[in-house]
């Protein structure tokens, strides 16, 4: 089983991946770690700010890692924001049943009501440099873009609208018995 976690910035993708790692003991691949390894090693001239170009650069690598894990019947959690909206088109039908897709996004109302908490938790799992560009209007626009883009291609979105903790807990025990 591949658990593919994506979504807007500051939605808790890494937190969810860490909780799933702890609960299910699946290996975990952070796309941000791969990105920074490639950037710091000089294997790309891209920078952390080159979001669209990074998606084009990283996705073929991530896609083939996922296919390899599926072919070898290995479990893997893949987490990050560099997932194209039309990601399913890159997998033939034999792979798709082995991929559980989770896209996290926050409603405008949630962002308005919890903005200080969202910013307060931005380094909960990873040590981030403080993002001066992380303003309420930027978060709203990012979440709207993710929601619109993935819904446009028919993907389900896990919308964080009121109770963040309950939303995450539901994702951890989808069938009540821990199975997917």
């Amino acid at each position: 089983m591949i658990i593919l976690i994506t979504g807007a910035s500051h939605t808790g993708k890494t937190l969810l991946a860490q909780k799933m790692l702890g609960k299910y003991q699946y290996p975990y691949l952070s796309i941000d770690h791969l990105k920074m390894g490639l950037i710091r090693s000089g294997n790309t001239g891209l920078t952390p700010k080159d979001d669209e170009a990074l998606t084009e650069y990283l996705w073929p690598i991530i896609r083939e890692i996922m296919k390899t894990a599926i072919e070898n019947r290995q479990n893997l959690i893949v987490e990050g924001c560099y997932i194209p909206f039309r990601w399913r088109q890159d997998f033939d039908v034999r792979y798709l049943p082995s991929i559980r897709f989770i896209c996290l996004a926050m409603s405008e109302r949630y962002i308005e009501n919890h903005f200080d908490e969202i910013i307060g938790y931005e380094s909960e799992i990873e040590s981030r440099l403080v993002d001066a560009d992380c303003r309420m209007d930027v978060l709203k626009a990012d979440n709207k873009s993710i929601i619109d883009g993935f819904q446009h291609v028919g993907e389900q979105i896990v919308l964080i609208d009121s109770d963040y903790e309950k939303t995450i807990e539901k994702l951890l025990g989808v069938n009540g018995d821990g199975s997917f």
Side-chain angles (χ1 to χ4, degrees):
M1 172 65 64
I2 304 295
I3 303 172
L4 180 59
I5 303 170
T6 194
S9 178
H10 290 77
T11 54
K13 298 178 297 293
T14 305
L15 175 64
L16 177 59
Q18 290 287 315
K19 287 183 178 232
M20 287 185 162
L21 167 68
K23 183 168 184 174
Y24 302 112
Q25 303 297 302
Y26 288 6
Y28 161 45
L29 172 64
S30 165
I31 300 173
D32 279 343
H33 292 171
L34 177 61
K35 168 189 78 177
M36 292 311 297
L38 291 164
I39 290 171
R40 288 179 169 178
S41 67
N43 281 293
T44 181
L46 297 172
T47 73
K49 298 283 186 186
D50 297 324
D51 284 338
E52 280 187 43
L54 281 164
T55 299
E56 289 178 30
Y57 180 70
L58 294 169
W59 177 243
I61 299 166
I62 299 302
R63 176 191 68 219
E64 298 308 317
I65 290 171
M66 290 170 58
K67 286 179 181 178
T68 301
I70 292 168
E71 290 161 357
N72 287 294
R73 294 187 274 283
Q74 295 170 323
N75 297 318
L76 181 64
I77 300 165
V78 177
E79 172 271 320
C81 60
Y82 302 103
I83 309 299
F85 296 134
R86 297 185 180 278
W87 69 271
R88 285 183 194 271
Q89 292 180 352
D90 290 335
F91 293 92
D92 90 25
V93 294
R94 67 183 174 180
Y95 292 102
L96 290 172
S98 298
I99 302 170
R100 178 176 177 218
F101 177 74
I102 300 171
C103 179
L104 299 175
M106 296 178 283
S107 69
E108 283 195 17
R109 181 180 70 170
Y110 185 85
I111 294 168
E112 289 168 359
N113 293 334
H114 299 275
F115 182 73
D116 290 337
E117 291 171 58
I118 294 165
I119 298 306
Y121 284 109
E122 73 180 349
S123 292
E124 185 73 10
I125 300 295
E126 296 176 315
S127 296
R128 294 185 187 201
L129 297 175
V130 174
D131 187 355
D133 291 336
C134 189
R135 301 182 320 264
M136 188 179 303
D137 61 320
V138 172
L139 276 183
K140 285 181 179 181
D142 184 36
N143 278 270
K144 181 174 180 2
S145 172
I146 292 296
I147 292 167
D148 292 348
F150 280 112
Q151 283 184 338
H152 179 75
V153 298
E155 295 291 352
Q156 296 284 353
I157 307 296
V158 176
L159 187 64
I160 301 161
D161 189 47
S162 59
D163 190 327
Y164 182 86
E165 298 296 326
K166 281 185 182 174
T167 302
I168 297 302
E169 291 303 318
K170 283 181 186 176
L171 291 169
L172 291 171
V174 174
N175 292 328
D177 62 359
S179 66
F180 301 118

